[in-house]
Amino acid sequence: MISLLCLMTTVLSGCLETEHITSVNREDALIVFTSHPSDIQNAVFKQFEREYGIHVEAHSGGSKEMLDEFALLTESGEVDIMFGGGIELLESYKGYFEPYYSKHTRSLQSRYRSKKGEWTPFTVLPIVIAYNTDLVSPEEAPSSWSDLLVEKWRGEIIFASPISSGTSYAILSGLEQLFGEDRDVFMPKFAAQLRGKETAGTSSVLTKLKNKDGKIAICLEQMALKEMAAGSHIDIVYPTEGVICVPDGVAIAKHAPHLENAQKFVDFCVSRDMQQVLSEQYFRRSIRKDLEGNGDYPRVYLLPFDIWQAGKEEDSFVYEWEWELEKHN
């Protein structure tokens, strides 16, 4: 699946021009496309390079942008790994992945495993409601997902565009499943609540919340906890219905030029040592069963979420969202 946006970009500018890929012919290399922030990239890539002596050539951007570019380069064998993006989004691109079952697969939470090994879950990422404590008191803050649809919060919700953010697509898909409404009922209601507060990417959501561009935001738990630890005037709510939770993942490209290195990287990402570091230092819940309670995280009820349904509907959902949002901007 390659989005119309990337196809248009390819015609105009070449999307990611192949001459920018420099490590195809190096045996000790790994070409990674990633949507992870720089702190996760540094933590994972540097340790992997130290342990294996394999050079990581990284290209980063939004999850959908990276997946579209990744898809274009798989056939020519110029990319090894997609690192990042929710597993529901990876499921919709599974035709571009080489199936691989990590040697750690049995240690991973079974509800988040790929049915046929096309991708491997990386970390567990609950979705929370964040609010600016200078603008909203704990008593005033929304306590549930359904609260987001009341008049009080219209035009005050900061939300990343699902056109560029896989996380936001997962949120919308999860809310649609939670409310049990037809898409033509749910989508207009939620789009109307935003009133232009949609941001280009996930990374800018909390920046806008800190800048008081809105009063509340929908975001990843780990991003909010990181901001709170840094002293930002932000607090979070775990909605009373439960949390939407879709892990991000890692996948190997078909025709990967460094297949063995790519398999080592997948194993490394879900190894106990790496997962423990992510849980204890980077505000990410581990995907491993033997580290499920590791770290100072509250216990939360996880809402049922059909990953495979979300993967099948991603194309049509994003198209309809773009059309719906136009009516409210």
Side-chain angles (χ1 to χ4, degrees), residues 72-277:
L72 289 169
L73 294 177
T74 52
E75 195 61 36
S76 56
E78 295 178 270
V79 61
D80 295 302
I81 287 285
M82 179 63 205
F83 182 43
I87 58 176
E88 87 296 334
L89 190 59
L90 298 183
E91 177 69 13
S92 71
Y93 283 78
K94 64 183 179 181
Y96 298 101
F97 302 144
E98 179 69 27
Y100 174 66
Y101 289 101
S102 168
K103 66 181 182 181
H104 299 294
T105 294
R106 292 182 181 274
S107 297
L108 309 183
Q109 297 179 43
S110 59
R111 63 178 173 269
Y112 297 130
R113 296 181 202 160
S114 168
K115 291 179 178 178
K116 296 184 178 179
E118 291 100 343
W119 41 261
T120 299
F122 177 56
T123 54
V124 178
L125 299 172
I127 307 298
V128 298
I129 300 170
Y131 61 95
N132 187 308
T133 56
D134 293 334
L135 304 176
V136 180
S137 70
E139 294 75 24
E140 294 171 322
S143 62
S144 67
W145 293 116
S146 57
D147 283 349
L148 298 180
L149 299 178
V150 302
E151 180 66 27
K152 174 181 179 179
W153 301 116
R154 181 164 291 193
E156 298 292 351
I157 304 170
I158 303 171
F159 185 68
S161 169
I163 296 168
S164 57
S165 167
T167 298
S168 289
Y169 169 65
I171 293 168
L172 287 177
S173 182
L175 290 177
E176 184 183 45
Q177 292 180 33
L178 169 64
F179 294 139
E181 295 178 327
D182 290 338
R183 189 177 303 174
D184 59 359
V185 175
F186 164 72
M187 193 175 287
K189 287 196 297 187
F190 191 80
Q193 289 296 96
L194 296 183
R195 285 196 177 171
K197 297 292 185 181
E198 193 181 49
T199 71
T202 306
S203 61
S204 61
V205 168
L206 290 181
T207 299
K208 286 185 172 292
L209 184 64
K210 290 188 296 181
N211 292 340
K212 303 180 182 180
D213 292 335
K215 294 180 178 179
I216 63 175
I218 308 173
C219 63
L220 294 171
E221 175 193 52
Q222 63 91 14
M223 295 178 68
L225 292 178
K226 181 180 175 182
E227 286 290 347
M228 291 162 64
S232 297
H233 293 191
I234 288 172
D235 206 346
I236 59 176
V237 172
Y238 295 94
T240 53
E241 302 99 330
V243 298
I244 299 165
C245 187
V246 182
D248 48 6
V250 55
I252 299 174
K254 282 189 173 178
H255 313 295
H258 310 101
L259 180 59
E260 186 176 338
N261 295 349
Q263 292 170 344
K264 290 177 181 177
F265 182 77
V266 172
D267 290 342
F268 172 79
C269 284
V270 292
S271 65
R272 197 177 196 284
D273 287 348
M274 189 71 251
Q275 288 283 306
Q276 192 159 4
V277 168

